[in-house]
Amino acid sequence: MLDQLRTDVRNALRGWARRPLPVFGAILTLAVAVGVNLAMFGLVDRALLGAPALVQDPARVFTVGFGAPGESGAETPMTTAPYPTFQTLREALRSVASAAAFQRRSTHIDIDRDQLPVEAMLVSGDYLEVLGVRPFLGPGLASRDDVDGAPPVALVSHAFWQSALSADPSVIGRSITVGGLAYRVSGVMPAGFSGHDNSRIDVWVPFASAMRDTPGWASDGFRNVAGVVVRLGPQEST
């Protein structure tokens, strides 16, 4: 199964690079192709380690590693890729049911007059779908929240909700500032949930909102901004 997944990935990237496009698109393709050549898929080898709490069927959820062509398995793979690479994989892979992008950041949150250090994660809109997790409170995060111009929303961890937001049952819609950018709370995650690994995360925000002051980030084939997590389809076996 993993061999098939690797084959699907390579075919998707190579096919994308060969797709005929207008001049502007061809320039973008060249940029992305260079990024792909420098960070070619090396492995999709392992399910999540340590079975993070609340992730549905974690044996089907894999993080993706990238390595230069010809590297041996001894090299440590890269863990991030350009966002266009993630978009190509999400659209083209047959072996996975869903895929999401993520990026960890240490930053701060301003709540009223207090500034608190936090661990944040930028995620694509289908992150919770990939993990099969629903919020404890609120509507959560969906694909519509991760597009240019969407109202900026944020998910907070259960622990952060209790410690910094006084377990406010009416927290949904409350304004917080993450890394200097304003968001409305759209969900509180269940107790114990930390995302797709066991590292502490206090807040999750959509890529499109967090990167709204960084022009061209989603089309930059040279900027490695996204890790990738995938869920295998129901017919695949580990």
Side-chain angles (χ1 to χ4, degrees):
M1 181 279 302
L2 291 178
D3 288 341
Q4 179 61 49
L5 183 52
R6 293 190 190 95
T7 300
D8 285 350
V9 167
R10 293 190 179 97
N11 289 342
L13 294 177
R14 291 167 182 165
W16 192 90
R18 290 196 300 267
R19 188 181 305 162
L21 294 169
V23 172
F24 174 79
I27 294 172
L28 177 59
T29 300
L30 177 60
V32 175
V34 170
V36 169
N37 285 335
L38 293 177
M40 193 64 178
F41 251 80
L43 59 96
V44 186
D45 275 334
R46 304 201 62 168
L48 300 179
L49 299 178
L54 305 179
V55 173
Q56 182 180 356
D57 196 4
R60 291 187 177 276
V61 180
F62 287 68
T63 52
V64 177
F66 302 82
E71 282 186 354
S72 72
E75 280 88 3
T76 300
M78 296 172 61
T79 58
T80 59
Y83 205 78
T85 301
F86 157 67
Q87 292 173 313
T88 298
L89 299 179
R90 178 181 59 185
E91 294 166 4
L93 289 182
R94 298 173 300 166
S95 301
V96 302
S98 52
F102 66 91
Q103 180 196 117
R104 294 180 180 85
R105 282 188 180 179
S106 295
T107 183
H108 61 271
I109 287 183
D110 297 309
I111 301 173
D112 300 326
R113 297 183 179 180
D114 296 325
Q115 186 175 94
L116 306 172
V118 295
E119 296 302 315
M121 183 174 285
L122 282 57
V123 294
S124 57
D126 38 13
Y127 183 75
L128 295 185
E129 175 189 344
V130 171
L131 301 186
V133 179
R134 297 179 60 85
F136 169 70
L137 290 176
L141 179 67
S143 296
R144 63 179 178 274
D145 299 313
D146 190 32
V147 296
D148 290 341
V153 298
L155 307 174
V156 296
S157 72
H158 196 275
F160 187 82
W161 173 62
Q162 290 185 316
S163 63
L165 297 168
S166 303
D168 180 6
S170 59
V171 70
I172 304 304
R174 182 171 173 177
S175 177
I176 60 175
T177 301
V178 184
L181 300 173
Y183 296 84
R184 295 283 179 181
V185 176
S186 67
V188 176
M189 298 309 294
F193 177 75
S194 62
H196 65 279
D197 65 24
N198 289 310
S199 301
R200 190 194 102 215
I201 300 293
D202 302 300
V203 60
W204 295 262
V205 297
F207 263 98
S209 297
M211 302 291 280
R212 59 188 182 269
D213 291 339
T214 308
W217 69 273
S219 58
D220 189 338
F222 294 94
R223 182 182 303 184
N224 287 0
V225 298
V228 180
V229 57
V230 300
R231 175 174 290 277
L232 298 181
Q235 302 305 314
E236 301 297 335
S237 171
T238 57

